[in-house]
Amino acid sequence: MHTGLEIERKYLIRMPDEVELRAMPGCVVWDVTQMYLRRDPDGGTRRIRRVCTGGAVKYFFTHKRRIDALSCEETEGEISEEEYAALVAQADPELKAVEKRRLRIPWMDQLLEVDIYRFWSDRATLEIELEREDQPVQLPDWLEIVRDVTGEEAYKNFSLARCVPMEDLGEVRK
């Protein structure tokens, strides 16, 4: 397991052309099934992921403890299929599994992670991990950014497992 600080910005974007993104140099596609486990007494979140990429399947366990809107302490590591299956029994029954396709695209010394969810046809999200909170973000002009949702609880994956926001994008503030 690796423990570190995760600092990221998250953006709500209009649904991109997945074929165009897949054709970008260095693009790696992950098909992800993400489940949240019952909460820790310390208030941290625990999740497990099944990631299919390049014909291989890997499993991961993550524990996150939020520090502020941009940062959290994260402990993450690869686990075995057997460990994953055992942890499925600890899944929070009030939360649904989140299924998404993640396109990981290197761009301007950043790694863009575009998440396309099965429950939306008109929008997706973009995550960009940073080295420090005040690091400038280079947003690509080939994605249509609706707005920064970094601090919005409704767009955190944990919240998406409970309730999916379906606001009209035509009326969303920019």
Side-chain angles (χ1 to χ4, degrees), residues 103-118:
L103 294 98
R104 304 180 81 221
I105 305 163
W107 189 76
M108 293 187 71
D109 297 324
Q110 302 174 116
L111 179 62
L112 307 179
E113 294 181 323
V114 176
D115 287 344
I116 298 173
Y117 298 89
R118 293 186 177 189

Side-chain angles (χ1 to χ4, degrees), residues 120-161:
W120 285 327
S121 60
D122 62 343
R123 70 197 77 191
T125 62
L126 165 65
E127 293 181 6
I128 303 174
E129 289 201 18
L130 307 171
E131 293 178 21
R132 56 185 203 283
E133 286 194 1
D134 64 349
Q135 180 180 342
V137 174
Q138 301 294 323
L139 294 172
D141 59 3
W142 36 267
L143 288 175
E144 188 177 345
I145 309 294
V146 175
R147 73 171 187 272
D148 184 337
V149 294
T150 302
E152 292 187 35
E153 202 59 39
Y155 287 97
K156 295 190 183 316
N157 282 304
F158 180 82
S159 296
L160 294 176

